[in-house]
Amino acid sequence: MNPDLLVDNPRPTVAAPALRTKAELRAALEPARRRGLAIGLVPTMGYLHEGHLSLIRAARAGCDLVVMSLFVNPTQFGLGEDLDRYPRDEERDLRLAAEAGADLVFAPPVSEVYAPDASTAVEVTGPLTSVLDGDPARRGPEHFRGVTTVVAKLFNLVGPDVAYFGQKDAQQAVVIRRMVRDLDFPVRIEVLPTVREDDGLAMSSRNAYLEPADRERATALSRALAAAEREAHNGSLAAGLDAARRELAAAAIEPEYLEARDAETLEPVAELADRPVLVAVAARVGAARLIDNVLIQSAAQRPHT
Ligand code: AMP
């Protein structure tokens, strides 16, 4: 592929070219960089769904060149997690990525990303990575260290002007924003709303693990969050969490956590005040570990109707 063609010619419509090496990626991006074009990056682990595609479309609308990365990052999976069975379909991903507007897909093998003796990590410390999914009893801070290390590497490799993430992984987005601020990465982070199935289930590659009966039960997560928001506005945040717990219990779902936290600092909050509150839930439903969340604004923050 002649990289100049990529910048000058229409975007690929059949399948986005998959670049396997860092050298290929750098060569493909060089002309765009030389011309000062705006580069957008959408990091993914593949098995694309509408959530991913919404990020690619936003990147297409906001940038001149759109790069999607497709990499199931082993360092963010703990022992006993689903690294080995994580769903994959690269051919379909390359087609969907191109249709949504990706110019390039960086899909390296693990050996291209991590040297066997790699000994450097990027870690956001403190409460952002030690609560919710970062609680050592759950995925733990190591999960986020894996995420921030690979995202920092992708930022260094791609040099994006804008990087796109989903609100579905709210804690991840908060952690990445903190990393970017603390380490002065010259990139703007955009976080886009959670895309849901018609019945409310947040789209996730891991939904593929759900058997039909569990797929039905899984709708309780979004119902629980909707109840939390409703009751938080009508009564109190505590009443909202109670209502959410009842919705989960009715579907025989025992959450790993269901918590209300400041949307930026992730400090616990007891009441709605003048800052957005994140109500986040994680639960095992059948063979899948699912997460979801809702951002609740206080009455003062909501636009008047
Ligand atoms: P993943 O492939 O699961 O690592 O996700 C890649 C990116 O897509 C992350 O920024 C996710 O937050 C985002 N994402 C995943 N699911 C959704 C969804 N349902 N709606 C919006 N963004 C999503």
Side-chain angles (χ1 to χ4, degrees):
M1 177 185 47
N2 174 349
D4 272 315
L5 292 178
L6 186 69
V7 174
D8 294 332
N9 285 343
R11 288 179 287 108
T13 49
V14 181
L19 308 177
R20 305 292 175 195
T21 68
K22 298 186 266 196
E24 281 175 309
L25 177 67
R26 286 215 170 91
L29 292 175
E30 211 277 321
R33 215 185 305 288
R34 210 177 39 232
R35 291 169 54 165
L37 300 184
I39 299 175
L41 171 66
V42 180
T44 81
M45 299 204 300
Y47 213 68
L48 300 187
H49 51 65
E50 278 297 319
H52 299 112
L53 300 181
S54 73
L55 304 185
I56 298 174
R57 290 189 195 108
R60 178 77 272 148
C63 301
D64 301 311
L65 189 82
V66 176
V67 182
M68 181 186 99
S69 59
L70 194 179
F71 182 61
V72 181
N73 175 35
T75 67
Q76 70 189 69
F77 287 77
L79 277 180
E81 289 190 358
D82 56 345
L83 175 61
D84 294 338
R85 62 182 179 128
Y86 198 83
R88 296 168 200 244
D89 188 343
E90 187 184 276
E91 204 179 308
R92 176 174 171 275
D93 286 350
L94 296 178
R95 182 170 48 78
L96 292 178
E99 284 168 8
D103 297 300
L104 294 174
V105 173
F106 180 48
V110 172
S111 59
E112 181 70 11
V113 177
Y114 296 110
D117 59 348
S119 11
T120 309
V122 176
E123 186 173 24
V124 172
T125 57
L128 292 193
T129 56
S130 59
V131 302
L132 303 176
D133 264 27
D135 187 311
R138 299 169 193 145
R139 304 193 78 182
E142 305 77 21
H143 163 66
F144 290 106
R145 188 170 57 215
V147 169
T148 43
T149 300
V150 81
V151 170
K153 284 165 69 72
L154 289 169
F155 286 176
N156 284 335
L157 289 166
V158 174
D161 296 275
V162 193
Y164 297 83
F165 295 88
Q167 177 63 22
K168 155 82 177 6
D169 298 276
Q171 186 173 13
Q172 171 174 286
V174 170
V175 168
I176 287 167
R177 278 193 195 285
R178 181 65 62 88
M179 173 188 82
V180 163
R181 190 202 70 182
D182 288 351
L183 295 184
D184 304 302
F185 278 101
V187 59
R188 191 174 89 234
I189 302 299
E190 292 226 350
V191 179
L192 283 115
T194 301
V195 177
R196 298 177 179 283
E197 302 284 0
D198 289 343
D199 62 9
L201 178 67
M203 290 197 183
S204 165
S205 307
R206 291 189 167 98
N207 292 348
Y209 301 149
L210 295 167
E211 301 290 344
D214 293 324
R215 168 68 186 76
E216 177 60 34
R217 286 171 61 224
T219 58
L221 267 67
S222 58
R223 270 201 309 283
L225 294 170
E229 182 171 25
R230 201 169 47 241
E231 290 305 314
H233 288 313
N234 294 342
S236 65
L237 194 51
L241 292 175
D242 284 345
R245 257 181 222 106
R246 284 196 298 276
E247 282 289 349
L248 295 174
I253 293 174
E254 171 75 39
E256 272 185 27
Y257 60 77
L258 170 70
E259 292 180 32
R261 290 183 174 267
D262 183 282
E264 197 182 325
T265 65
L266 301 188
E267 297 292 343
V269 290
E271 291 166 21
L272 281 191
D274 56 350
R275 291 167 58 82
V277 168
L278 178 75
V279 175
V281 63
R284 194 160 282 285
V285 181
R289 181 183 185 274
L290 304 178
I291 58 170
D292 199 354
N293 67 84
V294 65
L295 261 185
I296 305 182
Q297 315 276 346
S298 70
Q301 294 169 314
R302 278 179 291 157
H304 295 288
T305 47

